[in-house]
Amino acid sequence: MSLQCGIVGLPNVGKSTLFNCLSSAKAQSANFPFCTIEPNVGVITVPDERLFALTEMLHPDRIVPATVEIVDIAGLVKGASRGEGLGNKFLATIRETDAIIHVLRCFEDANVVHVDGSVDPVHDKEIIDIELQLKDLETIENRIAKVQKQAQTGGDKQAQLLYDVLLRFKQALEQGKSARSVIFDTPAERRLARDCFLLTVKPVMYVCNVDEDSATTGNSHVEAVRRAVQDENSEILVLAAKIESEIAEFENFDERKMFLESIGLSESGVNRLVKSAYKLLNLETFLTVGPKEVRAWPYPQGSKAPACAGIIHTDFEKGFIRAEVIKYTDYIRYGSEAAVKEAGRMSIEGKDYIVQDGDIMHFRFNV
């Protein structure tokens, strides 16, 4: 399963620095706009304490964590929807991602230029919002032009439903709202809305990049962002990309932990960001365990057992018979699969079972 979060923001807000902390890939990081011309893609592991606990118990030959793809997209500027600053290319890259990590500059530094001359993260956010909304409005108006006649005169119910969906999107966008603010009631409407592939319908997390002194407490810029997005139902994460780049240099776990404690942090901002990005993509994890491998498998929240079996191999889904399920807490409590079975804590589930985060699964199938 390959789902992507795209990192967006104005030039020089810390996107590439943050990307370098997230990924082993080293994006160019320079004090001038558009230093990132081609989008950088990094595959990052999702921190999961459950894997460490299972590894301590089982000592498997290998551990395979869940992963997420992060795309570092070059800085957008005002006018991007009209092609300014290579805008069309960047917007096309955003369209291909599944969620957006919007980095906002919330630090003062005279040595790092700001594209608009002053630090104002709320204004920066509005610039990006407007450009994405304008591009979506263009997309919607083009779709309306194609379907309007058929919907109004052709008696095509599907065309009429699509037309209604498009009009609701158009109304919200013209009011300066993002497409994600429009709530659809029926599965048919939601499917048509999803098929519009709009930029502002994607879930968003705002990352406030602060100075070192504000890494644990935030600052006035962060508070301004909180007020600006309070009605968006969006998550805000505060981190100092400069500190994160220092943390990334520590290869020894204990040294990293000591450094974090020295600055008052229990966990790195990068770890928190990766976990939040995983949730932003609406992903959960089921596990498979054994002497050869302990593995975390990402799956869309709400998936049923056969669909999760198919993530391992398509034959598992085609020939699905049943799933043997052990809750992670039970496995840790009893210490082995055999002990869990003896305690009567393993359940046998069928095709309608909705997999829960942390389930340890064994699929039975016949093809």
Side-chain angles (χ1 to χ4, degrees), residues 18-58:
L18 183 59
F19 176 83
N20 289 341
C21 298
L22 287 166
S23 170
S24 58
K26 293 298 181 183
Q28 182 185 5
S29 180
N31 184 23
F32 57 90
F34 311 120
C35 66
T36 308
I37 300 301
E38 297 297 333
N40 296 280
V41 180
V43 179
I44 57 176
T45 59
V46 180
D48 193 331
E49 291 77 9
R50 295 171 299 197
L51 288 181
F52 296 117
L54 290 168
T55 299
E56 287 294 316
M57 291 176 58
L58 299 170

Side-chain angles (χ1 to χ4, degrees), residues 125-269:
K125 169 194 173 303
E126 290 172 349
I127 289 176
I128 300 292
D129 284 349
I130 290 170
E131 295 306 322
L132 298 184
Q133 289 165 7
L134 287 173
K135 197 64 180 179
D136 277 350
L137 186 58
E138 177 186 319
T139 299
I140 290 298
E141 288 176 340
N142 288 339
R143 292 289 301 274
I144 287 175
K146 293 178 181 179
V147 77
Q148 183 172 8
K149 185 176 180 180
Q150 186 180 4
Q152 293 178 334
T153 62
D156 186 330
K157 291 184 178 180
Q158 188 71 5
Q160 180 62 58
L161 185 59
L162 174 58
Y163 183 62
D164 292 342
V165 166
L166 294 172
L167 285 182
R168 290 186 62 186
F169 275 143
K170 184 174 185 289
Q171 182 180 24
L173 291 165
E174 287 178 336
Q175 293 174 353
K177 299 177 182 178
S178 293
R180 75 182 71 90
S181 67
V182 182
I183 306 300
F184 295 101
D185 298 324
T186 69
E189 288 175 326
R190 289 192 290 270
R191 184 178 63 256
L192 289 170
R194 185 174 60 249
D195 290 345
C196 290
F197 299 106
L198 300 180
L199 299 169
T200 64
V201 82
K202 300 176 188 294
V204 175
M205 173 171 56
Y206 296 101
V207 175
C208 294
N209 183 16
V210 299
D211 58 273
E212 297 178 46
D213 294 336
S214 305
T216 58
T217 60
N219 56 31
S220 59
H221 291 309
V222 174
E223 293 308 311
V225 172
R226 291 190 192 282
R227 291 191 295 271
V229 305
Q230 60 185 351
D231 296 327
E232 290 190 21
N233 195 29
S234 299
E235 185 174 352
I236 293 178
L237 190 144
V238 179
L239 57 75
K242 188 174 181 181
I243 288 180
E244 296 303 320
S245 63
E246 294 177 20
I247 294 171
E249 296 297 322
F250 289 101
E251 295 184 3
N252 183 282
F253 174 79
D254 291 331
E255 289 180 351
R256 183 178 298 187
K257 184 178 180 181
M258 288 176 60
F259 179 79
L260 285 168
E261 290 175 350
S262 71
I263 57 177
L265 294 174
S266 59
E267 185 178 27
S268 73

Side-chain angles (χ1 to χ4, degrees), residues 3 23 30 110 170 174 283 340 349 363:
L3 295 178
S23 170
K170 184 174 185 289
E174 287 178 336
L283 294 176
V340 171
E349 305 292 350
F363 298 104

Side-chain angles (χ1 to χ4, degrees), residues 313-360:
H313 196 287
T314 53
D315 285 350
F316 285 23
E317 182 173 11
K318 292 176 183 176
F320 180 88
I321 298 173
R322 66 178 183 272
E324 298 171 357
V325 183
I326 297 174
K327 297 301 178 184
Y328 167 78
T329 51
D330 285 335
Y331 201 103
I332 295 297
R333 177 184 177 187
Y334 293 102
S336 70
E337 182 177 325
V340 171
K341 289 180 179 178
E342 187 176 342
R345 299 294 294 176
M346 186 180 80
S347 63
I348 306 299
E349 305 292 350
K351 293 182 177 180
D352 292 329
Y353 176 69
I354 297 176
V355 176
Q356 302 299 304
D357 184 55
D359 278 354
I360 296 173

Side-chain angles (χ1 to χ4, degrees), residues 290-310:
K292 292 187 177 182
E293 179 183 272
V294 170
R295 182 163 185 159
W297 298 88
Y299 69 92
Q301 184 180 22
S303 297
K304 293 184 178 180
C308 287

